[in-house]
Amino acid sequence: MEKLIRILVVGCGNMGASHARAYHDLAGFEIVGLVSRGASKTALNKTLSSSYPEFDDFEQALLATKPDAVCISTYPDTHESYAIKSFEAGAHVFIEKPVADTVLGAQQVIDAASRCRKKLVVGYILRYHPSWEKFISISRTLGTPLVMRMNLNQQSHGYMWNVHRNLMDSLSPIVDCGVHYIDVMCQMTDAKPIRVSAIGARLTTDIPETNYNYGQLQLHFDDGSVGWYEAGWGPMVSQTAFFVKDVFGPRGSVSIVPQEAVKDGVSDSVEAHTKTESIRVHHADIDENNEFLKADEWIRLEDEPNHQDLCNREQLFFQKAIIEDLDLTKQSEDALNSLRIAFACDEAVKTKKVIDLS
């Protein structure tokens, strides 16, 4: 029998709870502690029908449990220090995106993983989603340049408005969520990102004066490809066309076309965000009368994984990376690149200038 990976779960909110569920259910993991500043760890223990040790303080938990690995799902302003301390304590790290709340901090986390010879896996959940893999793969057949249109606006309310307000103490929506979709765009084209522009607006006094809860970024590549991503959080956000995932190029287009995931009232649902349900492929070929030669294709995705399934897949990869000593250099470089671009977009909003990425 392979040795169990003894893991400390830090942060027991939405994502932390999902990752804890994966460790609880999957063979090969043993949870040695749950860490949170509030009551979420106790609620999680109850949900899991378990009695894992509970801690209020991260450093105390790290010292007491001496884990093989640490799962960090706290707010971004703690990511850098928690990850580096985990590596220095001899633990591998799974960390929710973004790696840190600054580019320099992210680089220091990556450097610490290398220095301590430990694995760093970043929670880019869409990389483990077969429907998104298909979406990206089809996009790469559409020719050059590509036009990539994406958004995820969230009419957050109740508990999720508390979550989003807390997130915006340190990051804007186009940084926190944008790293996912910037990463997707960079997978769709092999071209080099060269510059960004962006707009933003502060629509509430509930967040710091230096931040904004609506943003839209525009990313330019050196082959002429362009992409935009839009994210707004708050009770004032419109649910009209809040979920757009659409790409087109010279040869046609591909779009994620959900049904359940775009209903009223679900824009801030974590479970809905990874639903795709169907993919529509359009071919641009026309005849001598400019009529289309092929009908659109519909790829139905009835057996796609749900949010918990995707978290399980992420943790199985983390387990594999540790056991098989996988080289994660490329994944770390990609995580740093998407964060670097996202922060450049943040700078573009605040300075109202186009930012050169070179």
Side-chain angles (χ1 to χ4, degrees):
M1 180 181 293
E2 292 181 344
K3 178 185 174 183
L4 289 175
I5 296 172
R6 301 174 63 257
I7 191 155
L8 179 66
V9 178
V10 188
C12 300
N14 284 332
M15 296 307 300
S18 294
H19 296 315
R21 167 63 70 183
Y23 302 134
H24 181 79
D25 291 342
L26 295 172
F29 289 102
E30 177 188 357
I31 296 175
V32 296
L34 304 176
V35 185
S36 74
R37 294 172 181 169
S40 58
K41 55 187 175 293
T42 303
L44 178 55
N45 251 331
K46 184 176 180 180
T47 298
L48 296 176
S49 300
S50 57
S51 55
Y52 296 120
E54 298 179 9
F55 300 89
D56 296 321
D57 181 78
F58 165 70
E59 291 185 22
Q60 179 190 359
L62 190 63
L63 181 64
T65 61
K66 296 179 172 57
D68 302 312
V70 176
C71 171
I72 300 171
S73 302
T74 51
Y75 287 111
D77 57 354
T78 61
H79 285 190
E80 178 185 350
S81 63
Y82 285 6
I84 292 174
K85 288 174 182 176
S86 298
F87 290 134
E88 291 176 344
H92 304 284
V93 170
F94 176 92
I95 193 166
E96 267 303 321
K97 56 78 192 165
V99 180
D101 61 352
T102 66
V103 176
L104 176 60
Q107 183 65 67
Q108 290 176 338
V109 169
I110 292 167
D111 290 345
S114 176
R115 182 176 67 253
C116 298
R117 298 184 178 181
K118 294 299 175 182
K119 302 304 176 188
L120 170 65
V121 173
V122 186
Y124 279 57
I125 197 168
L126 298 180
R127 285 189 167 221
Y128 304 87
H129 199 311
S131 302
W132 277 83
E133 290 175 337
K134 187 182 294 292
F135 180 49
I136 292 167
S137 176
I138 294 171
S139 296
R140 292 176 62 85
T141 70
L142 301 178
T144 301
L146 292 176
V147 174
M148 298 167 281
R149 310 190 302 167
M150 301 184 195
N151 74 0
L152 182 57
N153 290 307
Q154 299 183 53
Q155 194 179 83
S156 44
H157 61 291
Y159 169 73
M160 283 308 299
W161 184 222
N162 289 332
V163 170
H164 285 154
R165 278 184 300 199
N166 288 336
L167 280 168
M168 286 185 286
D169 281 342
S170 54
L171 294 179
S172 68
I174 63 170
V175 173
D176 183 79
C177 279
V179 290
H180 272 308
Y181 302 100
I182 291 169
D183 181 57
V184 166
M185 292 179 195
C186 290
Q187 291 179 69
M188 288 177 167
T189 173
D190 294 321
K192 179 182 177 182
I194 55 173
R195 65 181 178 275
V196 298
S197 52
I199 57 174
R202 181 174 179 260
L203 303 173
T204 175
T205 58
D206 284 352
I207 62 174
E209 290 184 7
T210 55
N211 209 347
Y212 51 96
N213 65 310
Y214 170 82
Q216 195 234 35
L217 64 88
Q218 303 95 40
L219 179 55
H220 304 255
F221 294 83
D222 65 1
D223 68 345
S225 293
V226 293
W228 60 256
Y229 175 70
E230 176 189 61
W233 294 343
M236 73 295 292
V237 171
S238 170
Q239 290 195 140
T240 300
F242 68 84
F243 187 105
V244 175
K245 308 291 185 291
D246 181 49
V247 180
F248 52 95
R251 300 190 187 110
S253 63
V254 58
S255 311
I256 290 177
V257 186
Q259 301 296 325
E260 296 297 318
V262 294
K263 287 186 173 180
D264 282 349
V266 301
S267 64
D268 65 348
S269 164
V270 174
E271 183 64 45
H273 295 170
T274 53
K275 288 184 180 296
T276 53
E277 301 175 67
S278 62
I279 292 177
R280 183 176 188 170
V281 183
H282 169 69
H283 302 278
D285 304 313
I286 53 177
D287 62 19
E288 63 276 7
N289 296 315
N290 299 328
E291 298 297 336
F292 293 118
L293 291 172
K294 297 180 182 179
D296 288 0
E297 299 174 39
W298 285 89
I299 302 171
R300 304 295 179 183
L301 305 165
E302 297 174 355
D303 60 345
E304 67 177 347
N306 62 25
H307 184 264
Q308 186 59 54
D309 294 331
L310 292 171
C311 290
N312 291 357
R313 292 182 186 212
E314 284 187 294
Q315 299 313 325
L316 287 171
F317 177 78
F318 186 37
Q319 181 184 58
K320 179 183 175 72
I322 294 170
I323 293 172
E324 299 183 13
D325 191 24
L326 299 183
D327 183 355
L328 302 177
T329 303
K330 179 63 164 58
Q331 287 91 333
S332 293
E333 290 174 350
D334 288 349
L336 183 63
N337 181 56
S338 61
L339 186 60
R340 179 177 65 92
I341 295 170
F343 272 117
C345 295
D346 198 52
E347 182 183 354
V349 172
K350 293 174 180 177
T351 63
K352 299 179 173 59
K353 294 180 180 180
V354 174
I355 306 300
D356 188 339
L357 295 175
S358 61

